[in-house]
Amino acid sequence: MDKVHGNQALLTGINQLVSMLKMAIRKSLWPLGYDIIRRQPPVIYGIPDEDCYQSLFSPWDSARLFPEFTEVKNLTVCSRYSAWAVAQLLRLTHDVDGDIIELGVYKGGMGLLMDHIRSSFSKPKPLRLFDTFAGMPQTDPVLDRHREGDFSDTSLTAVKNLFAASSGVHFHEGLVEDTLPISDLGKVSFIHVDLDIYSAIKFSVEYLWPKLQPGGVIIFDDYGFPTCPGARKAVDEFFTDLPVKPFLLPFGSCFVQKPVSCG
């Protein structure tokens, strides 16, 4: 091998190693709701919001175009990508009849974002928040990676304080297996599921799917996370025999919009 080819091979090897290291770092950050974004100077296209084009239009990175996330980002472990998806899908259901549901509230950040979005709807909808408000309950050591007591740095009082100026917000404290059946739920238009563990997700989708109205959306935040294999298992099992299937998003979430013909 001559010197030129040797140098090219060395450079190729170094570039491959750097790429592998970058991907390893990104993958370690994804379960925590973070990602590494390469910032580039704006290219002058002469189009609206060109400062938000980091090679492609990225409004979720802009405090101006996505102000709802700026207020809640310190109250959630959800990434700005999943937050953007929740916001856009919730807007998509603005004219679907039924309550807005969140399962797995933690510190209330995503619930607060959903509260901001629903305030723009012409028809007010109740927002129902379900959580233990005391951290992760008992988990399955085989199906789940999270353990009992994870995410316990929250409380019902602290979350309620975030919604002091809001009306139509209802809090359901306890295990979803206990609180959903006694919540007196009727029609549902939107569901954000962020429960992390198999049993809770499986119960919730089985209970809520019949109540979700045609055109309504259910989004599973942690479907593709390696820290939540039980989440994917629960979702896949439920939708196996249904004609509608989850749509996987590149940051780990998936969603389903209920068609008119699906029971």
Side-chain angles (χ1 to χ4, degrees), residues 134-140 145-152 197:
M136 193 69 67
Q138 185 176 359
T139 65
D140 187 316
R145 297 292 180 266
H146 286 297
R147 293 294 176 256
E148 184 175 0
D150 288 353
F151 307 112
S152 59
I197 60 176

Side-chain angles (χ1 to χ4, degrees), residues 60-244:
W60 42 82
D61 288 329
S62 170
R64 185 181 77 255
L65 298 182
F66 193 21
E68 297 89 352
F69 187 71
T70 303
E71 182 178 351
V72 308
K73 63 182 180 181
N74 295 324
L75 297 169
T76 180
V77 293
C78 293
S79 70
R80 64 177 62 248
Y81 310 112
S82 58
W84 175 264
V86 167
Q88 297 303 100
L89 290 170
L90 179 56
R91 289 188 174 102
L92 190 67
T93 65
H94 69 94
D95 59 351
V96 179
D97 193 20
D99 294 359
I100 299 168
I101 308 294
E102 180 172 50
L103 307 172
V105 179
Y106 187 38
K107 293 185 177 182
M110 292 299 288
L112 192 60
L113 180 145
M114 293 161 65
D115 187 42
H116 291 328
I117 302 300
R118 77 182 181 109
S119 67
S120 66
F121 293 172
S122 58
K123 180 181 178 181
K125 297 184 182 184
L127 172 62
R128 296 183 178 273
L129 306 176
F130 292 79
D131 201 295
T132 65
F133 297 101
M136 193 69 67
Q138 185 176 359
T139 65
D140 187 316
V142 176
L143 298 176
D144 304 315
R145 297 292 180 266
H146 286 297
R147 293 294 176 256
E148 184 175 0
D150 288 353
F151 307 112
S152 59
D153 55 333
T154 186
S155 70
L156 178 58
T157 299
V159 174
K160 277 187 172 181
N161 287 339
L162 297 175
F163 297 87
S166 300
S167 60
V169 182
H170 306 272
F171 302 88
H172 303 269
E173 183 181 17
L175 300 174
V176 291
E177 293 90 338
D178 298 329
T179 55
L180 276 171
I182 63 172
S183 60
D184 196 30
L185 274 177
K187 297 177 179 179
V188 175
S189 62
F190 184 86
I191 310 166
H192 177 227
V193 183
D194 191 8
L195 292 169
D196 297 349
I197 60 176
Y198 174 82
S199 60
I201 295 174
K202 188 69 178 295
F203 177 87
S204 298
V205 68
E206 288 175 350
Y207 184 84
L208 289 172
W209 181 255
K211 297 180 180 295
L212 186 66
Q213 299 303 291
V217 169
I218 181 168
I219 180 168
F220 300 90
D221 178 79
D222 34 38
Y223 174 87
F225 282 26
T227 52
C228 306
R232 179 182 169 191
K233 178 177 174 61
V235 174
D236 287 349
E237 286 180 355
F238 180 78
F239 287 100
T240 294
D241 297 324
L242 291 179
V244 61

Side-chain angles (χ1 to χ4, degrees), residues 28 49 117:
S28 69
D49 305 309
I117 302 300

Side-chain angles (χ1 to χ4, degrees), residues 38-47 49-56:
R38 182 180 179 182
R39 291 293 183 181
Q40 301 174 345
V43 178
I44 305 303
Y45 294 108
I47 58 176
D49 305 309
E50 64 185 26
D51 59 306
C52 296
Y53 283 74
Q54 304 301 328
S55 74
L56 296 173

